[in-house]
Amino acid sequence: ITDNILLNGPTLNVLASENFIHQSMSIIVENAIKKATDVREKVCEWRSPEQLKELLDLELRDGGESESEILQRFTDAIRYSVKTTHPRFFNQLYAGMEPYSMVASFIIEALKPSLYTYEVAPVFTLVEEAVLKKMMELIGWKDGGDGIFNAGIINGLSAAPRLVMFTSQECHYSISKAAALLGIGTKNVYAIPSDERGKMIPSALEEQILSAKSEGAVPFMVNATAGTTVLGAFDPIDVIADICEKHNLWLHVDACWGGAALLSSKHKHLLKGIHRADSVAWNPHKMLMACLQCSAFMVRDKTSLLQRCHSARASYLFQQDKFYDVSYDTGDKSVQCSRKPDAFKIWLMWKALGSRELEQRVDRALAMAGYLAEEIKKREGFRLLMEVAPVIKERMMKKGSMMVGYQPHGEKANFFRMIIISPQVSRQDMDFVLDEINNLGKDL
Amino acid sequence: ITDNILLNGPTLNVLASENFIHQSMSIIVENAIKKATDVREKVCEWRSPEQLKELLDLELRDGGESESEILQRFTDAIRYSVKTTHPRFFNQLYAGMEPYSMVASFIIEALKPSLYTYEVAPVFTLVEEAVLKKMMELIGWKDGGDGIFNAGIINGLSAAPRLVMFTSQECHYSISKAAALLGIGTKNVYAIPSDERGKMIPSALEEQILSAKSEGAVPFMVNATAGTTVLGAFDPIDVIADICEKHNLWLHVDACWGGAALLSSKHKHLLKGIHRADSVAWNPHKMLMACLQCSAFMVRDKTSLLQRCHSARASYLFQQDKFYDVSYDTGDKSVQCSRKPDAFKIWLMWKALGSRELEQRVDRALAMAGYLAEEIKKREGFRLLMEVAPVIKERMMKKGSMMVGYQPHGEKANFFRMIIISPQVSRQDMDFVLDEINNLGKDL
């Protein structure tokens, strides 16, 4: 006894929790997996914030609750959560349930590894290396490169001249956020016009580079988007790469959404020229359906650029007098300290499915999108752009029948943005979406 | 059929995977939970990178593998992974297995929510609000504040004058990394000397503030650490707050490790004055044992500072014409886009255990550390600082008997840094650590 506290024996024994864990697993399989992915069930059970606060007892108190109460708490949490793995969830740039990736996620959660050093995460360090190798092979960097699974943050700067970067008006908003965060300033992100289809116009890029130079600013980087957020457009990477070479600019390709097309011999032409990029971001949690989050950042440079940018050589983690090759201690390459082994989520499913099955999924998703576009043309009263989207959205949420995002774009009014990737989705679901929009909006 | 691809019916049915999921769950419970936390099992089964590459078939190929092969793959992955939940894993600032938090993690992985908007994550948006409210209450912000669970990134700047920040020489390396990333520059992070015990010396802080001003620089912020990484020291927050008030500086408290002491009436005096902080970072995945990652960043400001700093108003996510109160769309407050509902991992366990049980855990961990320190004094041949740490570390890893980090500190040679928090740890484990270090090093 020290300080009136009994120190003998553990106070928490995992075996005592075994029953609770088994019961929890059953509830998770039944409600968060089977029911959540069942097309006959609701996508969401809508409650307003006020209603939901009453249904869930959220307050944290001094006393704990019993195991049975806790089982009820999280059963409720599952019930009122949106089922993002439901076949009719088209609301975000991810969808569907991938059993192999989910199991990989469970393993990570149970083992709690963090990728600081090889000693503390040997398996996952090597898994990450294997996945990055494969992805860089697909990008076409013949001599490899370097990379890291991360929340997709680009390198930091503490710069003197006015640095300017270029990206299309259709790019993801993370580009301007990064510029703000890094102290570059959002005003130094020059937005290049895109064409009708959403692709960056290369001649406009070159004009703005020259214009920035004439202002005395220093252009340093171009971001090309492979798969824009709203229109799914692919910037012409090869032509942009020519311009970057001419002006000696860093070419970053944001292939977070569209990178998966590299797996398809039919569609990889959309990313022609990506092997010329200096860096690439690619999120397998999007079109490849790995569990959230799973984001790779890769650089073609092979002179330890990530290490040189981000290393802090913390002596309590990255001791140099270790008994093994410390180049496997990848933690010093990342911006953050704790970092989960997200690569495992894509590795395990890639092992199980093989590149060929992934290719078929990408091809099928694009064919499915093509089918939907054709059907829309056939239906009377449907236009790709709709003005009644907010009302239809409210009705679909309250009914819980499906979830599709909407938004305005340029001068166009609100329209629905369909995200199609999951192999759990069928032609029948496409027809359902059109019928349901029609039903929900027919009185408008 | 479109493009030679059959679109009728889903190609992936979750029910077909049910058997695989059940088998996987059994293996996870047996190997990644029960065996991993069993004190009689090894903490790690050491293999060098070369050996491990041979044991695991890491390569990703065109063809997939069978379910039974995949089950074997991840059983191997678990086998060769470090068991960070093992009672004798003292290597990082987190440890142990918390069943409630683990179950919460599984739910998150299965449901795949991302905290962009209320519509897509209603339950987890409210859970986060409830947890932050409780944490700010413990900090002592009587009128509340604002916050977010995040990977702990501080606000961005695109600044004109030379901004200078202050932190102790003992602070975590993330502080200088953040300064690099934000373009402040690591040279503008002034390191304040600490005393023997590792606490910032307030008079030295004031000297350096005056000195920076005399150089024409603009001091803007002080980081006080509550629980330093190596020595576990608590900077004197109250005195530092006086200095910050006097010079009108932002006071940030890095309570990532030590924040948990706020739950203990016996130990909360260590953080006296934290209610005066302008912002606080606190990671419940450290001393409170929530699953990785679980990091809160809180600001006392109540004028939507986070929103004003980080908002990008992406039109495809944050539509303003929604049918509910869009202030619940918290995604526009964070730096990143996809963000997992990490608050759920601490909420569920807090519900189950109550603040009182959490308090007892903190008290017990500190008593356990006190016991160990006393025992070290009693043992011949033991000093707190040891020169033979790398060799003993190599031997303990290869034997797999326990994991403790080591490092040099200032002018002192390598020593072992013990992290004690898990309720799965007993006095017997403390004695084991001392005996084992003695055994492993007796010939040195």
Side-chain angles (χ1 to χ4, degrees):
Chain A
I1 293 180
T2 301
D3 241 2
N4 288 321
I5 296 164
L6 185 69
L7 301 182
N8 280 353
T11 59
L12 178 67
N13 190 323
V14 171
L15 291 179
S17 307
E18 204 182 335
N19 189 34
F20 170 75
I21 293 171
H22 277 295
Q23 283 184 20
S24 303
M25 293 285 210
S26 297
I27 295 174
I28 293 172
V29 171
E30 220 34 61
N31 295 275
I33 300 176
K34 279 168 66 181
K35 217 173 145 190
T37 56
D38 187 340
V39 74
R40 294 160 304 183
E41 298 284 340
K42 285 184 173 190
V43 177
C44 61
E45 199 153 316
W46 171 260
R47 295 290 184 280
S48 71
E50 297 69 34
Q51 292 170 323
L52 198 49
K53 280 181 192 176
E54 275 184 35
L55 287 166
L56 309 168
D57 173 18
L58 291 161
E59 205 189 323
L60 298 166
R61 303 193 183 83
D62 287 349
E65 296 189 357
S66 68
E67 289 192 352
S68 63
E69 281 172 306
I70 292 299
L71 292 172
Q72 189 55 48
R73 293 269 173 252
F74 74 69
T75 307
D76 288 344
I78 295 169
R79 175 172 174 189
Y80 296 111
S81 285
V82 169
K83 310 303 182 297
T84 69
T85 55
H86 192 284
R88 288 177 186 162
F89 177 84
F90 303 102
N91 208 69
Q92 250 66 45
L93 287 169
Y94 65 89
M97 201 282 276
E98 170 45 60
Y100 298 108
S101 188
M102 190 186 62
V103 163
S105 293
F106 287 175
I107 293 166
I108 292 169
E109 295 305 321
L111 288 176
K112 300 207 295 185
S114 181
L115 288 182
Y116 317 105
T117 61
Y118 178 80
E119 92 182 349
V120 85
V123 170
F124 302 113
T125 300
L126 299 183
V127 160
E128 181 175 62
E129 185 184 66
V131 175
L132 288 168
K133 185 169 163 278
K134 186 75 188 174
M135 292 172 85
M136 292 192 284
E137 199 181 294
L138 287 165
I139 287 168
W141 291 343
K142 296 223 171 79
D143 301 325
D146 196 6
I148 201 154
F149 273 74
N150 213 327
I153 291 168
I154 53 176
N155 306 327
L157 296 167
S158 67
R162 181 161 75 88
L163 296 172
V164 171
M165 55 192 278
F166 306 86
T167 186
S168 89
Q169 62 185 41
E170 296 291 320
C171 77
H172 189 256
Y173 72 92
S174 56
I175 302 294
S176 58
K177 275 204 171 184
L181 189 75
L182 298 173
I184 292 168
T186 51
K187 285 182 185 156
N188 294 318
V189 180
Y190 284 31
I192 311 300
S194 301
D195 63 19
E196 180 89 327
R197 183 62 193 82
K199 297 178 187 182
M200 186 194 284
I201 301 170
S203 60
L205 169 65
E206 186 142 30
E207 274 167 35
Q208 293 218 25
I209 292 169
L210 295 172
S211 151
K213 284 184 176 176
S214 73
E215 294 160 14
V218 179
F220 75 103
M221 153 175 173
V222 176
N223 172 64
T225 309
T228 62
T229 315
V230 178
L231 299 176
F234 287 76
D235 287 344
I237 301 174
D238 229 5
V239 190
I240 294 171
D242 288 341
I243 297 171
C244 287
E245 270 177 23
K246 186 171 158 194
H247 294 278
N248 196 25
L249 303 178
W250 183 276
L251 173 58
H252 174 70
V253 176
D254 170 0
C256 288
W257 167 245
L262 291 170
L263 282 153
S264 160
S265 49
K266 195 184 278 177
H267 298 292
K268 69 180 175 193
H269 67 89
L270 292 165
L271 296 106
K272 190 163 175 284
I274 192 170
H275 63 285
R276 299 169 67 190
D278 295 294
S279 59
V280 174
W282 178 359
N283 296 1
H285 72 240
K286 294 197 158 94
M287 213 190 285
L288 290 180
M289 286 182 58
C291 276
L292 275 176
Q293 292 189 359
C294 188
S295 311
F297 176 69
M298 293 162 281
V299 292
R300 198 175 51 181
D301 170 276
K302 294 180 70 183
T303 64
S304 302
L305 186 63
L306 289 173
Q307 183 90 18
R308 284 184 286 131
C309 285
H310 298 145
S311 170
R313 296 178 177 278
S315 64
Y316 73 97
L317 275 177
F318 307 113
Q319 304 92 335
Q320 299 298 303
D321 52 357
K322 281 182 181 169
F323 66 97
Y324 60 87
D325 177 2
V326 294
S327 74
Y328 282 97
D329 290 353
T330 55
D332 213 21
K333 293 201 293 194
S334 70
V335 171
Q336 74 271 56
C337 182
S338 291
R339 190 167 67 87
K340 295 178 77 168
D342 293 330
F344 189 57
K345 302 177 197 168
I346 181 71
W347 179 81
L348 196 71
M349 65 175 278
W350 205 324
K351 275 307 247 193
L353 302 172
S355 308
R356 261 201 310 275
E357 170 67 20
L358 295 177
E359 174 172 20
Q360 281 165 22
R361 288 187 178 186
V362 170
D363 288 349
R364 186 168 182 274
L366 279 137
M368 193 75 81
Y371 168 80
L372 185 67
E374 289 306 311
E375 287 302 301
I376 290 171
K377 286 183 198 155
K378 285 181 202 161
R379 294 205 179 198
E380 219 174 297
F382 261 86
R383 280 178 305 146
L384 280 163
L385 308 191
M386 308 191 75
E387 287 171 27
V388 291
V391 181
I392 293 177
K393 176 71 183 246
E394 177 173 357
R395 292 177 180 178
M396 79 170 73
M397 291 286 296
K398 288 184 171 167
K399 191 173 166 194
S401 58
M402 61 182 188
M403 276 182 76
V404 191
Y406 73 88
Q407 64 167 115
H409 186 261
E411 292 174 358
K412 292 159 185 165
N414 279 319
F415 63 97
F416 285 107
R417 179 187 71 147
M418 281 290 293
I419 313 291
I420 305 162
I421 174 59
S422 164
Q424 283 138 10
V425 166
S426 69
R427 185 181 66 75
Q428 288 80 348
D429 293 309
M430 297 296 100
D431 295 337
F432 175 84
V433 167
L434 298 178
D435 292 340
E436 184 72 355
I437 289 178
N438 196 45
N439 288 337
L440 293 171
K442 65 184 167 205
D443 62 323
L444 295 174
Chain B
I1 294 178
T2 301
D3 241 0
N4 287 322
I5 295 164
L6 186 68
L7 300 183
N8 282 353
T11 59
L12 178 67
N13 191 321
V14 171
L15 292 179
S17 307
E18 204 183 335
N19 189 34
F20 170 75
I21 292 170
H22 277 295
Q23 285 184 25
S24 303
M25 294 285 210
S26 297
I27 294 174
I28 292 172
V29 171
E30 221 32 62
N31 295 275
I33 300 176
K34 280 169 65 181
K35 219 173 141 188
T37 55
D38 186 339
V39 74
R40 295 161 304 183
E41 299 283 339
K42 285 184 172 189
V43 177
C44 61
E45 199 154 315
W46 169 260
R47 296 290 185 279
S48 71
E50 298 69 35
Q51 291 170 322
L52 198 49
K53 281 182 192 176
E54 275 184 34
L55 287 166
L56 308 167
D57 173 19
L58 290 161
E59 206 190 322
L60 298 165
R61 305 193 182 82
D62 287 349
E65 295 188 357
S66 68
E67 289 192 352
S68 63
E69 281 172 306
I70 293 299
L71 292 173
Q72 189 54 49
R73 293 270 173 252
F74 75 67
T75 306
D76 288 344
I78 294 169
R79 176 173 175 189
Y80 297 111
S81 285
V82 169
K83 310 303 182 295
T84 68
T85 55
H86 191 283
R88 290 180 184 159
F89 178 83
F90 302 103
N91 208 70
Q92 249 67 46
L93 287 169
Y94 65 89
M97 201 282 274
E98 171 43 63
Y100 298 107
S101 189
M102 190 185 63
V103 163
S105 293
F106 287 175
I107 292 166
I108 292 169
E109 295 304 320
L111 289 176
K112 300 206 295 183
S114 182
L115 287 182
Y116 316 106
T117 62
Y118 178 80
E119 92 182 348
V120 86
V123 171
F124 302 112
T125 300
L126 299 184
V127 161
E128 181 175 61
E129 187 184 62
V131 175
L132 288 168
K133 183 168 164 282
K134 187 76 188 171
M135 291 172 85
M136 292 190 284
E137 201 180 296
L138 287 165
I139 286 169
W141 291 343
K142 296 224 171 78
D143 301 324
D146 195 7
I148 201 154
F149 273 74
N150 214 326
I153 291 168
I154 53 176
N155 306 328
L157 295 168
S158 66
R162 181 160 76 87
L163 296 173
V164 170
M165 56 193 278
F166 305 85
T167 185
S168 90
Q169 62 185 40
E170 296 290 319
C171 77
H172 189 256
Y173 72 93
S174 56
I175 303 293
S176 58
K177 274 203 171 184
L181 190 76
L182 298 173
I184 291 167
T186 51
K187 284 183 187 157
N188 294 318
V189 180
Y190 284 29
I192 311 299
S194 301
D195 63 18
E196 181 88 324
R197 183 62 193 81
K199 298 178 188 182
M200 186 194 283
I201 301 170
S203 59
L205 169 64
E206 185 140 32
E207 274 167 36
Q208 293 218 25
I209 291 169
L210 296 172
S211 152
K213 284 184 177 176
S214 73
E215 293 159 15
V218 179
F220 75 102
M221 151 176 175
V222 175
N223 172 63
T225 310
T228 61
T229 316
V230 178
L231 299 177
F234 288 75
D235 287 345
I237 301 174
D238 230 5
V239 191
I240 294 171
D242 289 340
I243 297 171
C244 287
E245 270 176 23
K246 185 171 159 193
H247 294 278
N248 195 23
L249 303 178
W250 183 275
L251 173 58
H252 174 72
V253 176
D254 171 359
C256 289
W257 168 245
L262 289 170
L263 283 152
S264 161
S265 50
K266 195 183 281 177
H267 299 292
K268 69 180 175 193
H269 67 90
L270 293 165
L271 295 105
K272 189 163 175 284
I274 193 170
H275 63 285
R276 299 169 68 190
D278 295 292
S279 59
V280 174
W282 178 0
N283 296 0
H285 72 241
K286 294 196 160 91
M287 213 191 284
L288 290 180
M289 287 183 57
C291 276
L292 275 177
Q293 292 190 357
C294 189
S295 310
F297 175 69
M298 293 162 281
V299 292
R300 198 176 51 182
D301 169 277
K302 294 180 72 182
T303 64
S304 302
L305 186 63
L306 290 173
Q307 183 91 18
R308 286 184 285 131
C309 285
H310 298 146
S311 169
R313 297 177 175 277
S315 63
Y316 73 97
L317 276 177
F318 306 112
Q319 303 93 335
Q320 297 300 303
D321 52 357
K322 282 181 180 170
F323 66 98
Y324 61 87
D325 176 0
V326 294
S327 75
Y328 283 97
D329 290 354
T330 54
D332 213 20
K333 292 200 295 194
S334 70
V335 171
Q336 74 272 54
C337 182
S338 292
R339 189 167 67 87
K340 296 179 76 168
D342 293 329
F344 188 56
K345 302 177 198 168
I346 182 71
W347 179 80
L348 195 70
M349 66 176 276
W350 205 324
K351 274 307 246 194
L353 302 173
S355 308
R356 260 201 309 275
E357 169 68 20
L358 295 178
E359 173 172 21
Q360 282 165 21
R361 288 188 178 186
V362 170
D363 288 349
R364 187 169 182 272
L366 278 136
M368 193 75 80
Y371 169 79
L372 185 66
E374 288 307 311
E375 286 302 302
I376 289 170
K377 286 183 199 156
K378 287 183 203 160
R379 293 205 180 199
E380 219 175 299
F382 261 85
R383 281 177 305 145
L384 280 162
L385 308 189
M386 307 192 74
E387 287 171 26
V388 291
V391 181
I392 293 177
K393 176 71 182 245
E394 176 174 356
R395 291 176 181 177
M396 80 170 72
M397 291 286 297
K398 288 185 171 167
K399 190 174 168 195
S401 58
M402 61 181 189
M403 276 182 76
V404 190
Y406 74 89
Q407 64 166 119
H409 186 262
E411 291 174 357
K412 292 159 185 165
N414 279 319
F415 64 97
F416 286 108
R417 179 188 70 148
M418 280 291 293
I419 314 293
I420 305 162
I421 175 60
S422 164
Q424 283 138 12
V425 167
S426 69
R427 186 182 64 76
Q428 288 80 350
D429 293 309
M430 297 296 99
D431 295 336
F432 175 84
V433 167
L434 298 178
D435 292 340
E436 184 73 355
I437 289 178
N438 196 43
N439 288 336
L440 293 171
K442 64 183 166 203
D443 61 323
L444 296 173

